[in-house]
Amino acid sequence: MIGADNIFGLLAALLAICAVAAGLERTALGRRISGAGIILLTALVAAQFEILPKTAPLYGAIWTYMVPLAIALFLLKADLVRVFSEGGRVLVAFLVGMAGTIVGAGLAALVVDLGADEAKIAAVFTATYTGGSLNFVAVAEAVGFDDNSQLSAALAIDSIFGVGFIVLLNVCAGWGLFKRWYGWRLDAVLGEGGIARTETAPAPSLFGLLSALAISAAAVAASSMISGALGFPEYKLLVLTLLITAVATAGRRLLAGLHGEDIVAMMFMYLFFAIIGAGADLNEMLRAAPGMFVMVGFIFAVHLAFMLVAGRLLKLNYAELVTASLACIAGPPIAAAIAILFKWRNLVAPGILTGILGYVLGNFAGVGIFALLEGQVP
């Protein structure tokens, strides 16, 4: 109904979905699902009924411009020392989750018969659920997974299951029992920008918002130039994280007078979740090989089991577990987005850092599980 080139019509629809979700999030049921979960499901349904297009230039613009700007805005109040002293536990949870992904893929390959390409399929799913889609493509090329029909099916399942996993963890993040079982040290996670402080924060001013946007935009521009000059443009989020947290730490007294930047960041992230939901292709997933469904489900189940057990043994709280799990399965932008939406200020940077670490480790994990399943490892 809304054409991909109808920029303002599409933007109006996405903003309407976000506004409805923000309103519903105030209800008891909405708080359980969360605004992000409502947006994902609504956009997914709208795309399946062809109300929203699955691809559009606007989606690329939101991903390219709004996501890094939102991350920079929210990190303006991040204290670098406190982020790493408290958020370092996210790295431990991430490594546990990565181990769960690898073990889950290996066990699934033993349980499910996916034919001659079984090791290749396990390899690409291990890679993407340690790093991201970049790792999926790289490992597919490395192991010679070039069957177009299987590739499209695997990508479709990756997309849909990824959305489902994000929704699941959104629900878990608001579930009372989960919070009670993994409720250690939550005050440290919330940081200075936590819920208790934002409820009494001064009203934002035009000067403050424009200053925050100007600083954030400058940081995004600088991070792109620096990462490009170093020859690693794909790591611009890592550079942005280091740059903006350095600015926030050095200038924390000056930046303390800015207010409302996290609300702008949340608006951008709401739009980001809307395009994630709209871009998922349910029809392709339903036509895909059933064995791939089982494999991905198995990977997710083992991954979550590892996270839950480690959470109890290592006393990791639910916010750290959710952030680390999303950094592993969905990547740094999603992990940062969830941390922003739930106002886990001290977990935004660790979520990005561990997620980008996944980009580095994903190729090794994918190729390693391929070699193991193919019997190339002694």
Side-chain angles (χ1 to χ4, degrees), residues 8 12 41 80 108 141 150 184 195 204 220 235 238 264 272 288 315 330-331 355:
F8 283 101
L41 291 173
L80 188 64
E141 182 177 352
Q150 295 238 48
W184 299 286
I195 296 172
V220 173
Y235 294 136
L238 176 59
V264 179
F272 172 67
K315 295 189 180 299

Side-chain angles (χ1 to χ4, degrees), residues 212-368:
L213 283 167
I215 295 170
S216 299
V220 173
S223 66
S224 296
M225 288 190 294
I226 293 171
S227 60
L230 293 174
F232 301 103
E234 66 274 19
Y235 294 136
K236 62 183 178 182
L237 277 182
L238 176 59
V239 176
L240 173 62
T241 300
L242 296 175
L243 181 60
I244 198 69
T245 49
V247 171
T249 303
R252 56 183 175 272
R253 292 185 179 179
L254 293 175
L255 296 175
L258 305 181
H259 304 286
E261 75 286 344
D262 53 341
I263 296 176
V264 179
M266 289 175 69
M267 289 170 58
F268 291 165
M269 284 302 179
Y270 266 29
L271 285 170
F272 172 67
F273 279 109
I275 67 170
I276 291 293
D281 193 331
L282 187 60
N283 292 327
E284 281 195 34
M285 185 196 73
L286 295 175
R287 290 195 297 266
M292 291 190 191
F293 284 90
V294 179
M295 173 168 278
V296 175
F298 210 97
I299 291 172
F300 283 0
V302 176
H303 168 88
L304 288 174
F306 269 57
M307 298 295 283
L308 293 174
V309 172
R312 294 296 294 178
L313 294 177
L314 302 177
K315 295 189 180 299
L316 301 169
N317 69 48
Y318 72 91
E320 291 165 339
L321 292 173
V322 168
T323 302
S325 183
L326 285 172
C328 193
I329 298 293
I334 301 290
I338 293 296
I340 289 172
L341 289 171
F342 283 99
K343 300 184 180 180
W344 301 331
R345 184 177 299 279
N346 286 342
L347 297 185
V348 178
I352 294 171
L353 292 166
T354 53
I356 292 176
L357 177 64
Y359 289 157
V360 177
L361 298 178
N363 292 344
F364 295 99
V367 173

